[in-house]
Each structure stands twice: as structure tokens, then as C-alpha cells.
Amino acid sequence: MEPSSAQPRIALGSQLISCPDVLTLGVLPNLEDYPAWKLDMILQAEKIYFPTSLYADLFQVMGKKMFPSVNTYRFLGDKIKQTLLFQLQNLPAPRTRFYFGPRQQQFITRDFSFPFIAKKARASSMGDGVWLIHDQNELDSYLSQNQPAYIQEFLDVDDDYRVVVVGDEVAHAYRRIPARGSFKANISQGGTVCLENIPGDVLELGLRAAQACGFDLAGIDICQSREKLYILEANMKFGTRGFHCAGLSYRAILNKMVSEGRV
């Protein structure tokens, strides 16, 4: 059944399907697949929630408001572009370099001393695609499977944090404690959640980094090493276990913020 003539808030992606104040139209790969009334709603809407990577850039060209922002989609899963943006915005981040092809990669051990961190540059999450490289054999193995090479200094990490930013607010934050013997603090890699004593400067840095980069829905990963904070990356598709551990519902928080016009 077609909706009433009053124009409701609309979404394409399913993240707000339980929000009573938003009509979710779904994501179809061809515009002609939408019924005429849905396509008209998309064209007339001033703001579209969860436009998805398929449509975000198109709506940006049309001048439509979106949530999440177009930058949230443009930098999704791309560690190289994120790191370059952190550097350009003068945000504190570990020393990182990228190497394209064998000619550049021969200089890795000139630029970094073992051990160092190597990552899959694109399309990895939840702690997958991250290696601690101890010697040349491990480096060769990494290079044989990963192009381009993303190389980062190894930090002796004292604390690891996730700061979840929604809109212009910190929706949740927690400390991530690595499993015994692991250098990864990701919850999906066996890390545990600690909700106590999250420093204010961690919250401030997470929010400042998200705002500087134009990310309005992201989990900002921050570590502390020798009393200095570093931005590690922004996760636009973040897990919600940290919310559950605090007795919070991420979906309920998101719905409430949308209904109140805070995003």
C-alpha cells in the first residue's frame, strides 16, 4: 500500500527498519525497479538515511542530505585513504607508509625495524588482515599475499579503546583488553570489554577525529602508548558487543537519535 501524502523520513538500508519515524524503502540495484511512488519519495526527500555505498555519491551530487555522511561511505574499509586523511588533518597516528610494487617494497626494512605491523590495506575488519612481522621470512610471506603493502610502526600499547560516534555525539566508549599472548585487542579476536574509567581525552580525540574526517557513524579505534594517544582506524561497520556488555541497545540508541532529530 502506498503511504499517505505527508512526506515521512525515508531510508534505503535496513538499519532503521524498527524505527517508527522512518519508512525503509529498501535497496534496489536499478532505479526502474522501484515503484513510482517510492522513486518519487527518493527524488523529493531532503534527507535520506542509510543511502548505502551504491547511492551515497549520487545523492551527494544531487545535493541531498544523508546519514551516514558520504565520507563515511567513501572511506569505508580503506586503510590507506583513512591514514592519509588522518595525516592531512594532523591527527595523532602511528608512523605508517605504503609500498606499491616490488621496487618500493625493497625499502620497507630500510624505513622500519623489526618488529612492525603489516595490514591488509583494504576490505578487512574485526582484526583480520593484521600481522606482527618479526623477520624477513614473515615479511616475504605477507608481501606474497598483500598488494599494496601497508606498514606501520609497532607500538608498545598500554591501553586500547573504541569510541563510537553517532552524529556529533559519543554514543558509547569502552576499553578493549587483548587475550593473553595476543597483540590484537579486537573483541572478535578474543579481546574483552572494560567499561570503567574511560579517560576524557580519549573521548575528546575520538569525537574530534570523527568530526575532522566527516565520519558521523563510526567506531574510532584509539590506543595509548607511553602516555600518548594514537588514532588507529575508523570502523564504519562496527560490532555491537560493547553496547551489549553495557546493557545498551545500539539499535534503540540509533532510533532515538533519529526520532529526536539528532542525526
Side-chain angles (χ1 to χ4, degrees):
M1 179 180 296
E2 298 183 14
S4 66
S5 58
Q7 179 80 356
R9 283 179 276 195
I10 66 170
L12 297 190
S14 63
Q15 290 88 337
L16 292 171
I17 200 165
S18 63
C19 181
D21 298 309
V22 175
L23 176 63
T24 297
L25 302 181
V27 183
L28 299 177
N30 300 287
L31 289 174
E32 66 182 23
D33 294 337
Y34 285 102
W37 65 269
K38 285 190 176 184
L39 183 56
D40 184 64
M41 291 185 74
I42 292 171
L43 293 174
Q44 296 301 319
E46 292 185 5
K47 185 174 186 177
I48 298 176
Y49 289 90
F50 293 96
T52 75
S53 296
L54 178 61
Y55 288 106
D57 280 309
L58 310 183
F59 294 152
Q60 175 75 6
V61 171
M62 295 172 69
K64 290 187 179 296
K65 297 178 182 179
M66 287 173 284
F67 177 84
S69 67
V70 69
N71 274 15
T72 303
Y73 290 102
R74 286 174 174 169
F75 289 85
L76 170 66
D78 194 321
K79 290 182 173 61
I80 289 179
K81 287 172 63 176
Q82 285 190 20
T83 300
L84 290 171
L85 184 57
F86 297 157
Q87 293 170 349
L88 286 169
Q89 294 287 35
N90 199 31
L91 293 166
R95 180 171 176 268
T96 306
R97 291 181 63 86
F98 324 115
Y99 301 86
F100 295 80
R103 181 175 298 179
Q104 293 184 15
Q105 288 163 7
Q106 66 180 321
F107 298 115
I108 292 175
T109 53
R110 178 199 66 183
D111 299 335
F112 293 87
S113 299
F114 295 116
F116 51 76
I117 298 294
K119 298 182 179 180
K120 185 177 180 181
R122 300 182 178 96
S124 66
S125 61
M126 299 187 295
D128 293 329
V130 181
W131 297 270
L132 179 58
I133 305 297
H134 297 89
D135 54 38
Q136 188 65 48
N137 287 337
E138 292 183 354
L139 176 58
D140 291 342
S141 177
Y142 162 78
L143 293 175
S144 70
Q145 302 292 324
N146 293 275
Q147 301 292 336
Y150 179 108
I151 306 298
Q152 191 171 79
E153 67 174 317
F154 174 73
L155 298 175
D156 187 9
V157 173
D158 300 313
D159 285 299
D160 183 284
Y161 302 93
R162 165 71 57 83
V163 178
V164 180
V165 174
V166 181
D168 289 324
E169 304 176 31
V170 173
H172 189 38
Y174 50 91
R175 182 183 286 106
R176 304 185 301 179
I177 302 173
R180 183 182 297 273
S182 175
F183 72 97
K184 299 179 183 180
N186 307 74
I187 306 306
S188 58
Q189 298 288 334
T192 56
V193 172
C194 177
L195 301 170
E196 299 176 356
N197 302 321
I198 310 302
D201 55 351
V202 171
L203 304 179
E204 185 277 330
L205 177 58
L207 184 58
R208 177 163 61 91
Q211 292 175 337
C213 297
F215 305 152
D216 56 5
L217 183 63
I220 308 296
D221 290 345
I222 299 172
C223 74
Q224 179 174 317
S225 176
R226 298 180 181 178
E227 299 185 352
K228 183 176 180 180
L229 296 177
Y230 297 86
I231 300 286
L232 297 177
E233 63 181 294
N235 295 271
M236 286 65 169
K237 294 183 178 180
F238 49 83
T240 58
R241 200 179 306 173
F243 286 83
H244 296 159
C245 290
L248 301 172
S249 166
Y250 164 68
R251 288 298 178 100
I253 291 172
L254 182 61
N255 289 351
K256 186 173 188 291
M257 293 183 72
V258 169
S259 296
E260 293 176 351
R262 290 152 61 194
V263 293

